[in-house]
Amino acid sequence: LRKFSTEKISLLQTFGAQLGMALENAQLYNEVHRGKAYIENLVENAADIILSTDLEDQILTWNRGAELTLGYSKEEVIGKHLSILLPPSRVHELAEMRAKVELSGALRDIEVEGKRKGGAAIYLSLSVSPITDVDGKIVGFLRVAKDVTEKKRYERRLKELDKLKSDFVSN
């Protein structure tokens, strides 16, 4: 029987420990990768508009819900300024939104007017949250929106009908 020297045993133990750490890291990497793919799938297939921008409002991500609701493909908007989704009279609101999010931490369910590809007006219920790095510094913004154009149309119609009713009763 051949005996290993203490030096070789120590070396084999070191290799074993490193191999164990490498296997554990590979397992953690796979878990993180699966979790990331799952979240990306949820975001991509959500019916709502989900997009992210950098600090200068350049569009970084764009999901399928945004494509279907607003009419632009990812290729058409990634890298473009968010102002392409707003009527010119509303572009100033982007800076106001950024400032409010930086101050309060988030905006929830605010109604904004936007425009679809081709220029048609759309009304959205919008939430804006900051995207932060590991140090807590804001590096961008997450915007989640739902089309409320039909709801706005019904509300306007109800107001018109209410006014007609009031006019009729007063006459």
Side-chain angles (χ1 to χ4, degrees):
L1 241 194
R2 186 169 170 223
K3 286 189 171 186
F4 289 103
S5 68
T6 344
E7 188 178 287
K8 287 185 179 177
I9 290 173
S10 176
L11 186 60
L12 288 172
Q13 286 175 332
T14 304
F15 283 149
Q18 287 180 351
L19 181 61
M21 286 192 320
L23 289 172
E24 190 176 318
N25 285 343
Q27 183 180 5
L28 288 172
Y29 174 80
N30 284 336
E31 287 176 23
V32 167
H33 183 69
R34 279 194 302 272
K36 182 178 180 246
Y38 177 75
I39 290 170
E40 286 174 351
N41 188 37
L42 289 177
V43 169
E44 182 60 27
N45 293 306
D48 290 345
I49 297 165
I50 303 176
L51 64 100
S52 65
T53 61
D54 63 13
L55 293 173
E56 288 78 39
D57 293 322
Q58 301 298 318
I59 299 169
L60 302 174
T61 62
W62 185 261
N63 77 333
R64 182 90 176 114
E67 286 183 356
L68 295 172
T69 305
L70 298 168
Y72 291 97
S73 69
K74 280 182 187 177
E75 296 75 24
E76 291 176 291
V77 295
I78 299 290
K80 299 278 191 326
H81 196 270
L82 194 58
S83 61
I84 66 168
L85 304 176
L86 297 173
S89 62
R90 302 269 185 181
V91 172
H92 69 279
E93 293 175 3
L94 291 174
E96 294 169 11
M97 280 186 229
R98 281 194 315 272
K100 286 178 184 175
V101 170
E102 288 170 358
L103 217 70
S104 66
L107 292 175
R108 300 278 181 243
D109 299 318
I110 59 169
E111 284 196 3
V112 295
E113 182 183 350
K115 66 176 182 176
R116 292 183 167 100
K117 183 177 180 179
I122 184 171
Y123 293 92
L124 302 167
S125 176
L126 173 69
S127 295
V128 184
S129 303
I131 299 171
T132 57
D133 64 13
V134 292
D135 298 321
K137 181 182 172 201
I138 296 175
V139 294
F141 299 95
L142 176 68
R143 290 171 165 85
V144 179
K146 180 177 241 19
D147 183 357
V148 293
T149 306
E150 285 301 311
K151 178 184 164 215
K152 291 287 278 185
R153 192 172 291 135
Y154 289 133
E155 286 173 356
R156 264 187 296 212
R157 185 67 182 138
L158 283 173
K159 284 180 185 175
E160 290 171 9
L161 291 172
D162 192 46
K163 185 177 178 343
L164 286 172
K165 181 186 86 167
S166 295
D167 291 349
F168 177 78
V169 169
S170 68
N171 284 334

